[in-house]
């Protein structure tokens, strides 16, 4: 199994910044992909940003130019730097990973979520 530990959420004013982090642990052979999703009140969960083991990165159009995803492969950790935050960014942010384990089975795991609230 894979455990995901998220941190970095909180309350920030519009225009401010936050950095989210997510660390994966377990008997992991390789992280195939890792990324962030969010779910705002009354809305469906949506992809925010993701990065694959090959380095391909995808961003939601709504966050391009404001958010940056990065990975520390040695620590199996992914980060989301969020700048110029807007009230519409308010959501619960979830870390997600697709990992190949040492027994060669693939797992799709989710973190518990961290709340980001942007005021004004």
């Amino acid at each position: 199994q894979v455990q995901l530990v998220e941190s970095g959420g909180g309350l920030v004013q519009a225009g401010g910044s936050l950095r989210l982090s997510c660390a994966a642990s377990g008997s992991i052979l390789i992280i195939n992909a890792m990324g962030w999703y969010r779910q705002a009140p009354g809305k469906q969960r949506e992809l925010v940003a993701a990065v694959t083991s090959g380095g391909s990165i995808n961003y939601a159009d709504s966050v391009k130019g404001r958010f940056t995803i990065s990975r520390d492969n040695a620590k199996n950790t992914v980060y989301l730097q969020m700048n110029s935050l807007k009230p519409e960014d308010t959501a619960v942010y979830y870390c997600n990973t697709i990992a190949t384990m040492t027994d060669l089975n693939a797992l799709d795991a989710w973190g518990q979520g961290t709340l980001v609230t942007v005021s004004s």
Side-chain angles (χ1 to χ4, degrees):
Q1 58 184 322
V2 178
Q3 179 181 230
L4 299 177
V5 179
E6 302 166 326
S7 63
L11 175 64
V12 65
Q13 294 186 24
S17 298
L18 287 172
R19 190 177 79 148
L20 307 183
S21 64
C22 174
S25 62
S27 300
I28 300 170
L29 183 64
I30 189 171
I31 300 290
N32 297 20
M34 208 163 184
W36 293 93
Y37 290 72
R38 68 186 181 187
Q39 188 164 22
K43 298 181 67 176
Q44 296 184 12
R45 186 173 299 185
E46 64 175 347
L47 174 70
V48 178
V51 59
T52 70
S53 60
S56 297
I57 296 174
N58 290 306
Y59 292 101
D61 288 342
S62 60
V63 307
K64 287 180 179 177
R66 299 188 298 120
F67 292 9
T68 303
I69 190 169
S70 61
R71 281 193 62 187
D72 184 336
N73 292 333
K75 298 180 179 179
N76 287 332
T77 299
V78 65
Y79 306 92
L80 185 67
Q81 179 66 46
M82 305 185 294
N83 298 325
S84 301
L85 283 162
K86 304 174 180 179
E88 50 263 45
D89 295 318
T90 295
V92 177
Y93 285 70
Y94 297 92
C95 181
N96 169 255
T97 188
I98 300 172
T100 299
M101 312 306 288
T102 54
D103 62 2
L104 302 184
N105 68 314
L107 298 179
D108 186 349
W110 293 86
Q112 292 294 114
T114 184
L115 177 63
V116 172
T117 303
V118 184
S119 64
S120 302

